[in-house]
Structure formats: structure tokens, C-alpha cells
Amino acid sequence: MAFEWKDRYKLDIEEIDKQHRRLFDIGARVYDLAVLNDSYDHYDEITQLIVELLDYTEYHFTFEENLLEKYNYGELDKQKHEHEFYVRKIKSISSKDIDADQKQATLEIVDFLSEWISSHILFSDRKYAVYFKENGINV
Ligand SMILES: [Fe+2]
Ligand SMILES: [Fe+2]
């Protein structure tokens, strides 16, 4: 299932884990709406949630980048590039995609967003968590 939080995403940095979880919560709400098979058009709700997802994603990325900068993390630029890519992806979701007739397209996008953020946390974010730990940085 798309945007399903798993314990292995935990980095043991309380505030970061909380923010990551929230990203999954919002994403799961988008997914739930997108797969609903009722006769209603959920276009407005989905659009609204995509905006919420974008806002919170930007908030989280900025928070993370500031933290990495503060502790001189060597791969900050790589993080920034990856974050920019993801924000652009969310922004590229057009109203056409979430039209009622475009259900499949919406699901594919949501699936992509979910896969991307999962592997970003598992590989890129985990690296800074290890860096913090190895350097005795408690955030
Ligand atoms: Fe990140
Ligand atoms: Fe993150």
C-alpha cells in the first residue's frame, strides 16, 4: 500500500521521525481518497491534500537542511538536490492528473511519491543519522 509507514524508516531522531511520519500520514490520506471507488468526485479534496503535502514537505526539507548545515554535514548539497527534485515532482501534479477520469494517473503519481520518500529516508536520510551518531551529535 502506498504511503504506509514502516518502523524501519525510523532514524531515532525524535523530531525528524515525527515529521517523516506526518509526511506519510498526509500521503496516506491522498492515497485513500485516490483509491475510493464510490460515485463521488474527490477532486477538490485531493487537490487540497496535495497542497498540504507540498507545504509540509517543504517545511520538513527546510528544517532538515538547516539541521544538516548547523552540524556541518558533508552531503548537504546532495540532500538539497534530492529535495528539490521531489518538490518539483509534487508541483508538477497538474489538475488534469487528478481529474476523476484520471484515477490511474493519480495513483501512479502517489505511488511514485511514496516510493521516492521511502528510499530517500532509508538511504539518504539514514546517512546523516549515522553521521550524527558517529560524531556524538544529539539533536
Ligand atoms: Fe532528506
Ligand atoms: Fe527527511
Side-chain angles (χ1 to χ4, degrees), residues 58-114:
E58 288 187 310
Y59 167 79
H60 167 64
F61 286 170
T62 304
F63 181 94
E64 203 170 70
E65 287 165 15
N66 287 339
L67 190 72
L68 301 183
E69 190 166 15
K70 185 175 167 190
Y71 294 107
N72 297 312
Y73 180 61
E75 291 190 26
L76 173 61
D77 280 349
K78 190 170 176 274
Q79 278 276 345
K80 280 186 176 172
H81 282 125
E82 292 184 20
H83 291 167
E84 271 168 31
F85 170 82
Y86 194 61
V87 165
R88 266 205 308 275
K89 273 281 170 196
I90 302 177
K91 283 183 177 166
S92 75
I93 303 172
S94 68
S95 48
K96 195 171 109 278
D97 294 328
I98 37 180
D99 189 275
D101 299 331
Q102 301 281 328
K103 189 173 163 153
Q104 195 51 40
T106 311
L107 284 176
E108 276 168 24
I109 294 162
V110 171
D111 204 51
F112 173 85
L113 294 178
S114 169

Tab-separated table of all heavy atoms in Angstrom, residues 58-114:
chain	number	residue	atom	x	y	z
A	58	GLU	N	7.881	20.860	2.081
A	58	GLU	CA	8.809	21.997	2.035
A	58	GLU	C	9.262	22.386	3.440
A	58	GLU	O	10.430	22.692	3.668
A	58	GLU	CB	8.166	23.181	1.302
A	58	GLU	CG	8.070	22.914	-0.202
A	58	GLU	CD	7.585	24.121	-1.000
A	58	GLU	OE1	6.550	24.699	-0.614
A	58	GLU	OE2	8.241	24.462	-1.999
A	59	TYR	N	8.319	22.359	4.371
A	59	TYR	CA	8.653	22.670	5.766
A	59	TYR	C	9.697	21.671	6.284
A	59	TYR	O	10.718	22.048	6.856
A	59	TYR	CB	7.392	22.619	6.640
A	59	TYR	CG	7.696	22.618	8.111
A	59	TYR	CD1	8.034	23.807	8.769
A	59	TYR	CD2	7.685	21.429	8.845
A	59	TYR	CE1	8.354	23.799	10.124
A	59	TYR	CE2	8.007	21.407	10.187
A	59	TYR	CZ	8.333	22.597	10.827
A	59	TYR	OH	8.659	22.584	12.157
A	60	HIS	N	9.445	20.395	6.044
A	60	HIS	CA	10.352	19.356	6.540
A	60	HIS	C	11.745	19.465	5.902
A	60	HIS	O	12.761	19.381	6.590
A	60	HIS	CB	9.784	17.963	6.277
A	60	HIS	CG	10.805	16.889	6.472
A	60	HIS	ND1	11.381	16.632	7.702
A	60	HIS	CD2	11.420	16.050	5.596
A	60	HIS	CE1	12.293	15.676	7.566
A	60	HIS	NE2	12.342	15.307	6.299
A	61	PHE	N	11.782	19.653	4.590
A	61	PHE	CA	13.069	19.733	3.905
A	61	PHE	C	13.894	20.921	4.411
A	61	PHE	O	15.099	20.813	4.623
A	61	PHE	CB	12.875	19.825	2.387
A	61	PHE	CG	12.464	18.515	1.739
A	61	PHE	CD1	12.041	18.486	0.407
A	61	PHE	CD2	12.505	17.320	2.439
A	61	PHE	CE1	11.672	17.290	-0.201
A	61	PHE	CE2	12.135	16.118	1.831
A	61	PHE	CZ	11.720	16.110	0.514
A	62	THR	N	13.244	22.051	4.609
A	62	THR	CA	13.949	23.227	5.122
A	62	THR	C	14.480	22.961	6.529
A	62	THR	O	15.639	23.268	6.841
A	62	THR	CB	13.018	24.462	5.140
A	62	THR	OG1	12.512	24.651	3.815
A	62	THR	CG2	13.744	25.712	5.575
A	63	PHE	N	13.640	22.370	7.341
A	63	PHE	CA	14.045	22.034	8.715
A	63	PHE	C	15.279	21.127	8.688
A	63	PHE	O	16.264	21.361	9.386
A	63	PHE	CB	12.884	21.322	9.426
A	63	PHE	CG	13.172	20.958	10.853
A	63	PHE	CD1	12.809	21.798	11.894
A	63	PHE	CD2	13.814	19.756	11.158
A	63	PHE	CE1	13.084	21.459	13.222
A	63	PHE	CE2	14.101	19.411	12.472
A	63	PHE	CZ	13.726	20.258	13.506
A	64	GLU	N	15.215	20.111	7.831
A	64	GLU	CA	16.299	19.132	7.737
A	64	GLU	C	17.594	19.782	7.222
A	64	GLU	O	18.673	19.579	7.779
A	64	GLU	CB	15.854	18.013	6.791
A	64	GLU	CG	16.555	16.690	6.971
A	64	GLU	CD	15.868	15.608	6.153
A	64	GLU	OE1	15.962	15.638	4.907
A	64	GLU	OE2	15.207	14.749	6.752
A	65	GLU	N	17.463	20.574	6.186
A	65	GLU	CA	18.641	21.236	5.604
A	65	GLU	C	19.306	22.166	6.611
A	65	GLU	O	20.536	22.224	6.706
A	65	GLU	CB	18.251	21.998	4.328
A	65	GLU	CG	17.968	21.056	3.159
A	65	GLU	CD	17.238	21.734	1.997
A	65	GLU	OE1	17.200	22.984	1.964
A	65	GLU	OE2	16.703	21.013	1.134
A	66	ASN	N	18.505	22.889	7.384
A	66	ASN	CA	19.063	23.779	8.411
A	66	ASN	C	19.819	22.989	9.473
A	66	ASN	O	20.895	23.396	9.928
A	66	ASN	CB	17.957	24.605	9.083
A	66	ASN	CG	17.426	25.691	8.157
A	66	ASN	OD1	18.092	26.087	7.195
A	66	ASN	ND2	16.222	26.160	8.423
A	67	LEU	N	19.259	21.854	9.823
A	67	LEU	CA	19.886	20.988	10.824
A	67	LEU	C	21.222	20.451	10.307
A	67	LEU	O	22.229	20.458	11.006
A	67	LEU	CB	18.934	19.825	11.124
A	67	LEU	CG	19.259	18.921	12.299
A	67	LEU	CD1	18.999	19.653	13.609
A	67	LEU	CD2	18.398	17.662	12.241
A	68	LEU	N	21.233	20.011	9.041
A	68	LEU	CA	22.452	19.440	8.450
A	68	LEU	C	23.533	20.503	8.294
A	68	LEU	O	24.717	20.229	8.481
A	68	LEU	CB	22.133	18.786	7.097
A	68	LEU	CG	21.100	17.651	7.127
A	68	LEU	CD1	20.933	17.041	5.752
A	68	LEU	CD2	21.488	16.582	8.145
A	69	GLU	N	23.090	21.709	8.006
A	69	GLU	CA	24.038	22.812	7.868
A	69	GLU	C	24.663	23.144	9.231
A	69	GLU	O	25.865	23.327	9.348
A	69	GLU	CB	23.319	24.032	7.284
A	69	GLU	CG	24.271	25.125	6.895
A	69	GLU	CD	23.624	26.185	6.007
A	69	GLU	OE1	22.381	26.217	5.922
A	69	GLU	OE2	24.385	26.965	5.419
A	70	LYS	N	23.813	23.183	10.225
A	70	LYS	CA	24.252	23.506	11.580
A	70	LYS	C	25.346	22.553	12.059
A	70	LYS	O	26.283	22.958	12.732
A	70	LYS	CB	23.037	23.430	12.518
A	70	LYS	CG	23.293	23.844	13.933
A	70	LYS	CD	21.990	23.835	14.732
A	70	LYS	CE	22.277	23.942	16.219
A	70	LYS	NZ	21.048	23.695	17.008
A	71	TYR	N	25.230	21.270	11.669
A	71	TYR	CA	26.200	20.282	12.130
A	71	TYR	C	27.192	19.868	11.046
A	71	TYR	O	27.777	18.790	11.106
A	71	TYR	CB	25.470	19.071	12.716
A	71	TYR	CG	24.712	19.421	13.979
A	71	TYR	CD1	23.321	19.516	13.973
A	71	TYR	CD2	25.399	19.693	15.159
A	71	TYR	CE1	22.624	19.855	15.129
A	71	TYR	CE2	24.711	20.030	16.324
A	71	TYR	CZ	23.319	20.114	16.294
A	71	TYR	OH	22.647	20.453	17.434
A	72	ASN	N	27.358	20.774	10.055
A	72	ASN	CA	28.383	20.577	9.014
A	72	ASN	C	28.337	19.221	8.315
A	72	ASN	O	29.374	18.586	8.087
A	72	ASN	CB	29.785	20.766	9.610
A	72	ASN	CG	29.975	22.174	10.102
A	72	ASN	OD1	29.664	23.134	9.397
A	72	ASN	ND2	30.450	22.310	11.331
A	73	TYR	N	27.173	18.794	7.971
A	73	TYR	CA	27.048	17.502	7.295
A	73	TYR	C	27.590	17.603	5.863
A	73	TYR	O	27.217	18.493	5.099
A	73	TYR	CB	25.571	17.080	7.286
A	73	TYR	CG	25.328	15.760	6.601
A	73	TYR	CD1	25.924	14.586	7.078
A	73	TYR	CD2	24.501	15.679	5.487
A	73	TYR	CE1	25.695	13.371	6.451
A	73	TYR	CE2	24.262	14.468	4.860
A	73	TYR	CZ	24.865	13.321	5.348
A	73	TYR	OH	24.626	12.116	4.724
A	74	GLY	N	28.484	16.676	5.492
A	74	GLY	CA	29.182	16.752	4.213
A	74	GLY	C	28.316	16.601	2.970
A	74	GLY	O	28.667	17.076	1.898
A	75	GLU	N	27.190	15.900	3.098
A	75	GLU	CA	26.370	15.656	1.908
A	75	GLU	C	25.111	16.528	1.855
A	75	GLU	O	24.090	16.135	1.295
A	75	GLU	CB	25.997	14.174	1.821
A	75	GLU	CG	27.207	13.302	1.522
A	75	GLU	CD	26.829	11.854	1.179
A	75	GLU	OE1	25.709	11.613	0.709
A	75	GLU	OE2	27.670	10.980	1.403
A	76	LEU	N	25.257	17.726	2.426
A	76	LEU	CA	24.115	18.644	2.423
A	76	LEU	C	23.651	18.975	1.002
A	76	LEU	O	22.451	18.995	0.717
A	76	LEU	CB	24.476	19.930	3.181
A	76	LEU	CG	23.456	21.075	3.125
A	76	LEU	CD1	22.113	20.658	3.734
A	76	LEU	CD2	23.979	22.298	3.874
A	77	ASP	N	24.601	19.204	0.099
A	77	ASP	CA	24.227	19.560	-1.275
A	77	ASP	C	23.454	18.450	-1.963
A	77	ASP	O	22.502	18.704	-2.686
A	77	ASP	CB	25.467	19.895	-2.116
A	77	ASP	CG	25.945	21.320	-1.849
A	77	ASP	OD1	25.196	22.071	-1.184
A	77	ASP	OD2	27.047	21.663	-2.292
A	78	LYS	N	23.875	17.247	-1.713
A	78	LYS	CA	23.181	16.088	-2.298
A	78	LYS	C	21.735	16.038	-1.771
A	78	LYS	O	20.787	15.820	-2.515
A	78	LYS	CB	23.932	14.807	-1.923
A	78	LYS	CG	23.464	13.576	-2.666
A	78	LYS	CD	24.432	12.403	-2.413
A	78	LYS	CE	23.927	11.136	-3.066
A	78	LYS	NZ	22.983	10.386	-2.234
A	79	GLN	N	21.603	16.262	-0.460
A	79	GLN	CA	20.261	16.301	0.136
A	79	GLN	C	19.420	17.389	-0.534
A	79	GLN	O	18.277	17.148	-0.906
A	79	GLN	CB	20.363	16.602	1.639
A	79	GLN	CG	20.668	15.392	2.502
A	79	GLN	CD	19.412	14.589	2.864
A	79	GLN	OE1	18.282	15.038	2.717
A	79	GLN	NE2	19.621	13.367	3.318
A	80	LYS	N	20.029	18.569	-0.691
A	80	LYS	CA	19.283	19.686	-1.282
A	80	LYS	C	18.810	19.346	-2.686
A	80	LYS	O	17.673	19.640	-3.061
A	80	LYS	CB	20.143	20.947	-1.318
A	80	LYS	CG	20.196	21.675	0.015
A	80	LYS	CD	20.950	22.989	-0.116
A	80	LYS	CE	20.919	23.767	1.185
A	80	LYS	NZ	21.797	24.951	1.155
A	81	HIS	N	19.688	18.739	-3.479
A	81	HIS	CA	19.309	18.378	-4.844
A	81	HIS	C	18.164	17.375	-4.862
A	81	HIS	O	17.222	17.493	-5.636
A	81	HIS	CB	20.507	17.809	-5.609
A	81	HIS	CG	21.445	18.876	-6.067
A	81	HIS	ND1	22.779	18.869	-5.758
A	81	HIS	CD2	21.233	19.999	-6.792
A	81	HIS	CE1	23.347	19.949	-6.278
A	81	HIS	NE2	22.436	20.655	-6.898
A	82	GLU	N	18.266	16.391	-4.014
A	82	GLU	CA	17.206	15.382	-3.964
A	82	GLU	C	15.885	16.017	-3.519
A	82	GLU	O	14.828	15.728	-4.069
A	82	GLU	CB	17.610	14.237	-3.027
A	82	GLU	CG	18.767	13.421	-3.587
A	82	GLU	CD	19.149	12.206	-2.736
A	82	GLU	OE1	18.313	11.753	-1.923
A	82	GLU	OE2	20.269	11.728	-2.883
A	83	HIS	N	15.978	16.888	-2.512
A	83	HIS	CA	14.769	17.562	-2.030
A	83	HIS	C	14.122	18.403	-3.140
A	83	HIS	O	12.903	18.387	-3.306
A	83	HIS	CB	15.101	18.463	-0.828
A	83	HIS	CG	15.465	17.709	0.406
A	83	HIS	ND1	16.045	18.317	1.504
A	83	HIS	CD2	15.337	16.398	0.739
A	83	HIS	CE1	16.249	17.404	2.452
A	83	HIS	NE2	15.831	16.237	2.008
A	84	GLU	N	14.969	19.120	-3.870
A	84	GLU	CA	14.442	19.963	-4.959
A	84	GLU	C	13.706	19.135	-5.995
A	84	GLU	O	12.647	19.516	-6.491
A	84	GLU	CB	15.589	20.694	-5.674
A	84	GLU	CG	15.933	22.031	-5.055
A	84	GLU	CD	17.247	22.588	-5.604
A	84	GLU	OE1	17.583	22.310	-6.779
A	84	GLU	OE2	17.943	23.280	-4.841
A	85	PHE	N	14.296	17.993	-6.315
A	85	PHE	CA	13.684	17.098	-7.296
A	85	PHE	C	12.275	16.684	-6.842
A	85	PHE	O	11.313	16.720	-7.607
A	85	PHE	CB	14.569	15.853	-7.485
A	85	PHE	CG	13.926	14.764	-8.291
A	85	PHE	CD1	13.940	14.809	-9.685
A	85	PHE	CD2	13.301	13.686	-7.663
A	85	PHE	CE1	13.335	13.800	-10.436
A	85	PHE	CE2	12.695	12.678	-8.405
A	85	PHE	CZ	12.714	12.739	-9.791
A	86	TYR	N	12.183	16.326	-5.575
A	86	TYR	CA	10.899	15.836	-5.046
A	86	TYR	C	9.844	16.945	-5.009
A	86	TYR	O	8.692	16.720	-5.381
A	86	TYR	CB	11.128	15.280	-3.642
A	86	TYR	CG	9.983	14.439	-3.097
A	86	TYR	CD1	9.574	13.284	-3.738
A	86	TYR	CD2	9.337	14.797	-1.908
A	86	TYR	CE1	8.547	12.494	-3.220
A	86	TYR	CE2	8.315	14.017	-1.382
A	86	TYR	CZ	7.923	12.864	-2.037
A	86	TYR	OH	6.911	12.093	-1.529
A	87	VAL	N	10.263	18.124	-4.590
A	87	VAL	CA	9.330	19.254	-4.546
A	87	VAL	C	8.812	19.553	-5.961
A	87	VAL	O	7.623	19.791	-6.167
A	87	VAL	CB	10.002	20.505	-3.914
A	87	VAL	CG1	9.202	21.772	-4.187
A	87	VAL	CG2	10.153	20.312	-2.414
A	88	ARG	N	9.731	19.500	-6.937
A	88	ARG	CA	9.310	19.728	-8.328
A	88	ARG	C	8.304	18.680	-8.777
A	88	ARG	O	7.352	18.988	-9.483
A	88	ARG	CB	10.520	19.695	-9.271
A	88	ARG	CG	11.121	21.078	-9.538
A	88	ARG	CD	11.864	21.122	-10.866
A	88	ARG	NE	12.839	20.043	-10.991
A	88	ARG	CZ	14.090	20.107	-10.507
A	88	ARG	NH1	14.503	21.198	-9.899
A	88	ARG	NH2	14.916	19.102	-10.651
A	89	LYS	N	8.524	17.437	-8.355
A	89	LYS	CA	7.594	16.358	-8.715
A	89	LYS	C	6.196	16.637	-8.182
A	89	LYS	O	5.206	16.490	-8.881
A	89	LYS	CB	8.078	15.019	-8.144
A	89	LYS	CG	9.036	14.312	-9.028
A	89	LYS	CD	8.288	13.606	-10.173
A	89	LYS	CE	9.298	13.110	-11.187
A	89	LYS	NZ	8.717	12.767	-12.480
A	90	ILE	N	6.129	17.030	-6.912
A	90	ILE	CA	4.816	17.304	-6.324
A	90	ILE	C	4.161	18.475	-7.062
A	90	ILE	O	2.982	18.424	-7.399
A	90	ILE	CB	4.906	17.623	-4.810
A	90	ILE	CG1	5.566	16.467	-4.059
A	90	ILE	CG2	3.511	17.881	-4.236
A	90	ILE	CD1	5.757	16.727	-2.571
A	91	LYS	N	4.980	19.501	-7.329
A	91	LYS	CA	4.433	20.677	-8.015
A	91	LYS	C	3.962	20.357	-9.421
A	91	LYS	O	3.119	21.063	-9.974
A	91	LYS	CB	5.484	21.785	-8.068
A	91	LYS	CG	5.645	22.524	-6.750
A	91	LYS	CD	6.647	23.649	-6.893
A	91	LYS	CE	6.750	24.442	-5.593
A	91	LYS	NZ	7.934	25.312	-5.579
A	92	SER	N	4.551	19.324	-10.009
A	92	SER	CA	4.201	19.008	-11.399
A	92	SER	C	2.864	18.288	-11.523
A	92	SER	O	2.371	18.065	-12.626
A	92	SER	CB	5.300	18.160	-12.042
A	92	SER	OG	5.218	16.843	-11.540
A	93	ILE	N	2.302	17.904	-10.380
A	93	ILE	CA	0.999	17.247	-10.444
A	93	ILE	C	-0.023	18.286	-10.893
A	93	ILE	O	-0.286	19.264	-10.203
A	93	ILE	CB	0.579	16.665	-9.067
A	93	ILE	CG1	1.642	15.690	-8.577
A	93	ILE	CG2	-0.776	15.993	-9.175
A	93	ILE	CD1	1.408	15.211	-7.163
A	94	SER	N	-0.536	18.081	-12.050
A	94	SER	CA	-1.460	19.079	-12.582
A	94	SER	C	-2.899	18.710	-12.235
A	94	SER	O	-3.199	17.571	-11.879
A	94	SER	CB	-1.314	19.175	-14.092
A	94	SER	OG	-1.773	17.987	-14.673
A	95	SER	N	-3.754	19.673	-12.338
A	95	SER	CA	-5.161	19.410	-12.023
A	95	SER	C	-5.731	18.369	-12.986
A	95	SER	O	-6.663	17.643	-12.669
A	95	SER	CB	-5.968	20.697	-12.089
A	95	SER	OG	-5.679	21.382	-13.270
A	96	LYS	N	-5.134	18.270	-14.141
A	96	LYS	CA	-5.578	17.283	-15.125
A	96	LYS	C	-5.371	15.866	-14.586
A	96	LYS	O	-6.211	14.988	-14.750
A	96	LYS	CB	-4.775	17.470	-16.413
A	96	LYS	CG	-5.358	16.782	-17.628
A	96	LYS	CD	-4.622	17.213	-18.878
A	96	LYS	CE	-3.759	16.138	-19.480
A	96	LYS	NZ	-2.458	15.874	-18.986
A	97	ASP	N	-4.228	15.679	-13.909
A	97	ASP	CA	-3.913	14.357	-13.384
A	97	ASP	C	-4.945	13.871	-12.377
A	97	ASP	O	-5.207	12.674	-12.271
A	97	ASP	CB	-2.541	14.361	-12.682
A	97	ASP	CG	-1.405	14.613	-13.657
A	97	ASP	OD1	-1.541	14.195	-14.818
A	97	ASP	OD2	-0.408	15.223	-13.261
A	98	ILE	N	-5.458	14.810	-11.584
A	98	ILE	CA	-6.361	14.369	-10.531
A	98	ILE	C	-7.825	14.504	-10.909
A	98	ILE	O	-8.702	14.384	-10.090
A	98	ILE	CB	-6.076	15.082	-9.178
A	98	ILE	CG1	-5.685	16.531	-9.397
A	98	ILE	CG2	-5.023	14.375	-8.406
A	98	ILE	CD1	-5.399	17.264	-8.115
A	99	ASP	N	-8.051	14.712	-12.144
A	99	ASP	CA	-9.412	14.704	-12.640
A	99	ASP	C	-10.006	13.309	-12.418
A	99	ASP	O	-9.298	12.317	-12.409
A	99	ASP	CB	-9.384	15.030	-14.143
A	99	ASP	CG	-10.768	15.244	-14.687
A	99	ASP	OD1	-11.410	14.244	-15.038
A	99	ASP	OD2	-11.208	16.398	-14.745
A	100	ALA	N	-11.294	13.250	-12.212
A	100	ALA	CA	-11.957	11.978	-11.919
A	100	ALA	C	-11.646	10.897	-12.949
A	100	ALA	O	-11.555	9.718	-12.635
A	100	ALA	CB	-13.457	12.194	-11.839
A	101	ASP	N	-11.447	11.305	-14.175
A	101	ASP	CA	-11.174	10.328	-15.233
A	101	ASP	C	-9.724	9.863	-15.236
A	101	ASP	O	-9.338	8.992	-15.993
A	101	ASP	CB	-11.467	10.943	-16.610
A	101	ASP	CG	-12.923	11.335	-16.727
A	101	ASP	OD1	-13.747	10.679	-16.062
A	101	ASP	OD2	-13.220	12.295	-17.448
A	102	GLN	N	-8.928	10.498	-14.406
A	102	GLN	CA	-7.501	10.218	-14.443
A	102	GLN	C	-7.049	9.470	-13.196
A	102	GLN	O	-5.929	9.616	-12.740
A	102	GLN	CB	-6.719	11.534	-14.549
A	102	GLN	CG	-7.046	12.358	-15.749
A	102	GLN	CD	-6.337	11.820	-16.990
A	102	GLN	OE1	-5.245	11.287	-16.892
A	102	GLN	NE2	-6.969	11.938	-18.139
A	103	LYS	N	-7.949	8.663	-12.675
A	103	LYS	CA	-7.660	7.952	-11.429
A	103	LYS	C	-6.350	7.175	-11.471
A	103	LYS	O	-5.547	7.219	-10.538
A	103	LYS	CB	-8.822	7.003	-11.150
A	103	LYS	CG	-8.767	6.380	-9.799
A	103	LYS	CD	-10.026	5.602	-9.543
A	103	LYS	CE	-9.752	4.673	-8.380
A	103	LYS	NZ	-10.924	4.348	-7.635
A	104	GLN	N	-6.128	6.490	-12.565
A	104	GLN	CA	-4.922	5.684	-12.697
A	104	GLN	C	-3.661	6.563	-12.620
A	104	GLN	O	-2.696	6.214	-11.955
A	104	GLN	CB	-4.957	4.886	-14.006
A	104	GLN	CG	-3.943	3.752	-14.069
A	104	GLN	CD	-3.999	2.840	-12.841
A	104	GLN	OE1	-5.066	2.523	-12.324
A	104	GLN	NE2	-2.828	2.445	-12.334
A	105	ALA	N	-3.735	7.691	-13.295
A	105	ALA	CA	-2.591	8.610	-13.290
A	105	ALA	C	-2.317	9.105	-11.870
A	105	ALA	O	-1.166	9.189	-11.436
A	105	ALA	CB	-2.867	9.794	-14.216
A	106	THR	N	-3.366	9.427	-11.144
A	106	THR	CA	-3.216	9.899	-9.764
A	106	THR	C	-2.542	8.831	-8.912
A	106	THR	O	-1.609	9.109	-8.163
A	106	THR	CB	-4.589	10.225	-9.138
A	106	THR	OG1	-5.311	11.043	-10.044
A	106	THR	CG2	-4.444	10.926	-7.809
A	107	LEU	N	-3.014	7.605	-9.050
A	107	LEU	CA	-2.445	6.521	-8.258
A	107	LEU	C	-0.979	6.293	-8.585
A	107	LEU	O	-0.170	6.031	-7.700
A	107	LEU	CB	-3.238	5.225	-8.485
A	107	LEU	CG	-4.576	5.172	-7.760
A	107	LEU	CD1	-5.337	3.907	-8.111
A	107	LEU	CD2	-4.369	5.246	-6.254
A	108	GLU	N	-0.653	6.403	-9.856
A	108	GLU	CA	0.745	6.218	-10.249
A	108	GLU	C	1.639	7.291	-9.632
A	108	GLU	O	2.738	7.008	-9.162
A	108	GLU	CB	0.882	6.242	-11.777
A	108	GLU	CG	0.579	4.876	-12.380
A	108	GLU	CD	0.425	4.904	-13.886
A	108	GLU	OE1	0.975	5.816	-14.525
A	108	GLU	OE2	-0.257	4.008	-14.415
A	109	ILE	N	1.141	8.529	-9.607
A	109	ILE	CA	1.918	9.620	-9.014
A	109	ILE	C	2.091	9.404	-7.515
A	109	ILE	O	3.188	9.513	-6.977
A	109	ILE	CB	1.229	10.985	-9.262
A	109	ILE	CG1	1.224	11.304	-10.752
A	109	ILE	CG2	1.919	12.088	-8.476
A	109	ILE	CD1	0.216	12.362	-11.123
A	110	VAL	N	0.983	9.060	-6.854
A	110	VAL	CA	1.026	8.848	-5.410
A	110	VAL	C	2.000	7.712	-5.095
A	110	VAL	O	2.796	7.784	-4.152
A	110	VAL	CB	-0.388	8.535	-4.864
A	110	VAL	CG1	-0.338	8.094	-3.411
A	110	VAL	CG2	-1.291	9.755	-5.004
A	111	ASP	N	1.955	6.679	-5.913
A	111	ASP	CA	2.836	5.543	-5.737
A	111	ASP	C	4.300	5.969	-5.895
A	111	ASP	O	5.166	5.582	-5.116
A	111	ASP	CB	2.481	4.487	-6.784
A	111	ASP	CG	2.897	3.118	-6.327
A	111	ASP	OD1	2.537	2.756	-5.202
A	111	ASP	OD2	3.595	2.426	-7.098
A	112	PHE	N	4.548	6.777	-6.907
A	112	PHE	CA	5.907	7.275	-7.132
A	112	PHE	C	6.383	8.089	-5.923
A	112	PHE	O	7.501	7.905	-5.428
A	112	PHE	CB	5.980	8.138	-8.398
A	112	PHE	CG	7.313	8.798	-8.564
A	112	PHE	CD1	8.367	8.128	-9.169
A	112	PHE	CD2	7.527	10.081	-8.076
A	112	PHE	CE1	9.622	8.719	-9.273
A	112	PHE	CE2	8.778	10.686	-8.182
A	112	PHE	CZ	9.820	10.003	-8.782
A	113	LEU	N	5.535	9.013	-5.442
A	113	LEU	CA	5.905	9.878	-4.315
A	113	LEU	C	6.223	9.037	-3.085
A	113	LEU	O	7.175	9.308	-2.354
A	113	LEU	CB	4.777	10.868	-3.997
A	113	LEU	CG	4.458	11.936	-5.052
A	113	LEU	CD1	3.287	12.797	-4.591
A	113	LEU	CD2	5.676	12.820	-5.351
A	114	SER	N	5.428	8.006	-2.884
A	114	SER	CA	5.607	7.129	-1.739
A	114	SER	C	6.922	6.357	-1.822
A	114	SER	O	7.701	6.294	-0.864
A	114	SER	CB	4.417	6.171	-1.673
A	114	SER	OG	4.660	5.165	-0.750
